[in-house]
Amino acid sequence: MRTSRRLLSLLLCLLICLAALPAAAAAAESQTIRVRIGSGNYTQSISVRSGSYAIVTQNAPDQTLATAYSGDTVTLSYSGGSYAYSVSNGQSGSGHGILQAQPVADDARFAYGGVSFRGGFRVIAGSSTMYAVNFVDLEYYLYGVVGREIGNSAPQEALRAQAVASRTYALHKIRSGGSFYDVTNTVSSQVYGGYSAETSAVVNAVDATRGMAILYNGAPIEAVFHSNAGGHTEDIEKVWLSDATPLDGVESSYDSYAASAGSYGASTYSWTFRYTPAQMIALANDYGDTDIGSYVGFSLSDTYNGQKSSSGRVMIFTIIGSNGRVSATKDGIRTLLNLKSTLFTVTNSSSSLRYVRGADGKTNSYNDLNSVYAIGKDAAEAEIANAGSGDIYVAGKDGVSVLQKSAPATISSTGSEIIVINGYGYGHGVGMSQWGAMGMAAAGYGWRDIIEHYYCMNGIYVERVY
């Protein structure tokens, strides 16, 4: 009786302990991810590079319809509401549900679009296109992602940090994936090069961090990352609308490592763009699908809806024309101005513009200040500032500043000036800076140090989930 009670007590204790484990940590093995590797017409083909593939329906994967071997071509098509298959060795059939070529053993490889892949191949007919999907073990998927994202030559600890971030991002997408696929193979998700992109350094990095992921409330976060933060990452809500994952901006001093890594690396850390007024108008008209007339100036601010950038990024940018204006906010500014990041300042090469900064952080530019009005504290009257003087005197906390009203006579105010944009960083600026991670690794930090620096805050932590 005592033995039975003791066993019952141990069993209850074990059940309680298991129940206390986070859902993500209770997973026993890796998962399968569905990657859209192509789309197009309703006939898609692959060639078998090694091993063999069983042609099956998605709903009955244990019932083989045909078998394809190394050197065979498999064609899967859709017409009239059903799917058909044909194999170059003579096997064919039609009238089926969703079809897939399923690997018979782990050594199977297939080629699609000139790229070799592990795992299987599935086609799914959408309303206007056929989706080509590679379904593959998540760890094998990472073999084809990590090097494409951070570069095969990155220090090993940076590769491992990228593996953890990419695994976490993928797990998050698996949980919230669509009906056809979880991720794409492009920058809209993560760049994925399949088996063709694998290297021994990347495989080692993935294997060394197998199952490690970044969690918040027990679930994988959307572990976003970018090329270079330019010295400081940004709070997530200052870049996008959602702050479901509470990522705050952090110092990222090792971003400067990029400057010592060749011309491309240097260009991700600091850069300069120059625009004429006509080019600024063209950018505005293209972004706003409008016509704002001739160039007047611009305004910018590091604050939007009461939120101030934690890294000094521009939060609002407006291009002003004679017939209107076009504004972009947060990460949309990169699209408006075709820039690498929103961490930038603007100067003018001809000094033909004058700038006035208000208490709200907005900076407005003018061709001259002859028509700037001064308003008293009761706002009862407005007068032209220093009407009888060629200058405007501004009393600030640091003393009196002088603003020259008119542009120098030798400088045209009709659009000959050049707007110079000096910036830092490359990408949205949220989460891990890849160049920062490489710089940290080169300085001796481990992958966990890197992950914890960029992600582990506000209850976010790293843990093995399988």
Side-chain angles (χ1 to χ4, degrees):
M1 181 65 72
R2 288 182 179 176
T3 301
S4 297
R5 287 178 178 174
R6 186 175 298 168
L7 288 173
L8 179 60
S9 176
L10 289 172
L11 180 60
L12 288 173
C13 181
L14 178 61
L15 290 173
I16 290 171
C17 291
L18 287 173
L21 285 173
E29 57 185 23
S30 180
Q31 301 184 45
T32 297
I33 189 168
R34 302 169 301 162
V35 190
R36 191 192 80 188
I37 56 175
S39 61
N41 61 47
Y42 287 97
T43 299
Q44 298 287 323
S45 298
I46 63 169
S47 58
V48 179
R49 288 287 179 86
S50 64
S52 59
Y53 282 83
I55 311 305
V56 301
T57 62
Q58 183 181 4
N59 293 332
D62 296 329
Q63 299 177 18
T64 300
L65 303 173
T67 303
Y69 302 94
S70 180
D72 286 339
T73 297
V74 178
T75 300
L76 305 178
S77 59
Y78 176 83
S79 179
S82 65
Y83 293 82
Y85 67 88
S86 65
V87 184
S88 59
N89 62 24
Q91 302 172 85
S92 63
S94 60
H96 297 283
I98 295 173
L99 289 169
Q100 60 190 37
Q102 185 170 282
V104 173
D106 197 48
D107 65 344
R109 307 282 185 272
F110 72 88
Y112 174 84
V115 178
S116 293
F117 295 92
R118 295 176 184 263
F121 178 80
R122 176 184 302 148
V123 293
I124 305 176
S127 59
S128 60
T129 190
M130 178 91 91
Y131 297 105
V133 177
N134 174 211
F135 56 98
V136 62
D137 179 272
L138 176 56
E139 297 297 304
Y140 290 157
Y141 163 74
L142 295 173
Y143 287 173
V145 165
V146 171
R148 287 296 176 89
E149 281 292 350
I150 198 170
N152 294 322
S153 61
Q156 179 63 205
E157 293 302 311
L159 288 172
R160 295 183 183 191
Q162 182 67 58
V164 174
S166 289
R167 180 183 296 108
T168 305
Y169 181 91
L171 285 168
H172 176 85
K173 291 301 182 182
I174 290 172
R175 290 168 61 95
S176 58
S179 57
F180 294 160
Y181 53 87
D182 302 310
V183 293
T184 71
N185 63 339
T186 69
V187 291
S188 63
S189 296
Q190 298 188 111
V191 180
Y192 171 56
Y195 180 73
S196 296
E198 295 182 15
T199 67
S200 58
V202 167
V203 170
N204 179 64
V206 174
D207 290 349
T209 61
R210 178 180 174 82
M212 300 301 297
I214 310 161
L215 309 178
Y216 178 64
N217 288 335
I221 69 169
E222 188 173 12
V224 292
F225 46 86
H226 57 282
S227 176
N228 196 314
H232 202 288
T233 66
E234 185 57 85
D235 306 341
I236 191 169
E237 69 273 16
K238 309 293 176 57
V239 176
W240 299 306
L241 295 176
S242 174
D243 60 352
T245 302
L247 284 174
D248 292 339
V250 297
E251 168 273 328
S252 187
S253 60
Y254 286 97
D255 289 332
S256 60
Y257 174 77
S260 64
S263 59
Y264 172 74
S267 73
T268 70
Y269 181 62
S270 64
W271 41 266
T272 298
F273 282 72
R274 292 176 173 85
Y275 291 125
T276 65
Q279 289 171 326
M280 292 285 278
I281 288 295
L283 290 169
N285 290 341
D286 184 60
Y287 183 84
D289 191 23
T290 185
D291 182 358
I292 62 172
S294 58
Y295 181 76
V296 173
F298 65 87
S299 67
L300 58 85
S301 175
D302 62 2
T303 303
Y304 174 67
N305 281 350
Q307 293 183 322
K308 184 179 176 66
S309 166
S310 66
S311 61
R313 282 171 167 75
V314 178
M315 297 277 280
I316 308 173
F317 195 95
T318 301
I319 299 175
I320 305 165
S322 58
N323 296 331
R325 59 182 61 202
V326 168
S327 295
T329 62
K330 299 184 176 182
D331 203 46
I333 296 169
R334 284 200 295 155
T335 303
L336 168 63
L337 297 175
N338 194 27
L339 300 179
K340 294 181 179 181
S341 82
T342 57
L343 184 58
F344 64 85
T345 59
V346 185
T347 58
N348 191 275
S349 64
S350 70
S351 301
S352 64
L353 294 182
R354 298 294 178 268
Y355 304 91
V356 177
R357 184 178 180 89
D360 60 357
K362 292 183 177 179
T363 301
N364 293 281
S365 63
Y366 303 88
N367 285 325
D368 63 64
L369 299 180
N370 282 299
S371 298
V372 171
Y373 286 77
I375 300 175
K377 64 179 181 179
D378 58 2
E381 295 184 15
E383 297 181 349
I384 294 179
N386 295 65
S389 171
D391 298 321
I392 293 177
Y393 299 90
V394 180
K397 65 178 182 179
D398 300 319
V400 177
S401 298
V402 181
L403 301 178
Q404 188 178 0
K405 279 188 177 181
S406 301
T410 57
I411 300 296
S412 169
S413 61
T414 59
S416 63
E417 63 272 0
I418 300 296
I419 296 90
V420 182
I421 303 177
N422 295 299
Y424 289 89
Y426 195 174
H428 48 67
V430 181
M432 185 179 74
S433 165
Q434 292 171 316
W435 279 105
M438 286 188 273
M440 289 183 69
Y445 291 93
W447 71 263
R448 187 181 287 270
D449 299 318
I450 298 168
I451 292 297
E452 289 180 349
H453 177 72
Y454 286 109
Y455 295 106
C456 294
M457 60 194 72
N458 303 321
I460 301 173
Y461 59 98
V462 61
E463 183 174 286
R464 186 179 301 280
V465 297
Y466 55 77

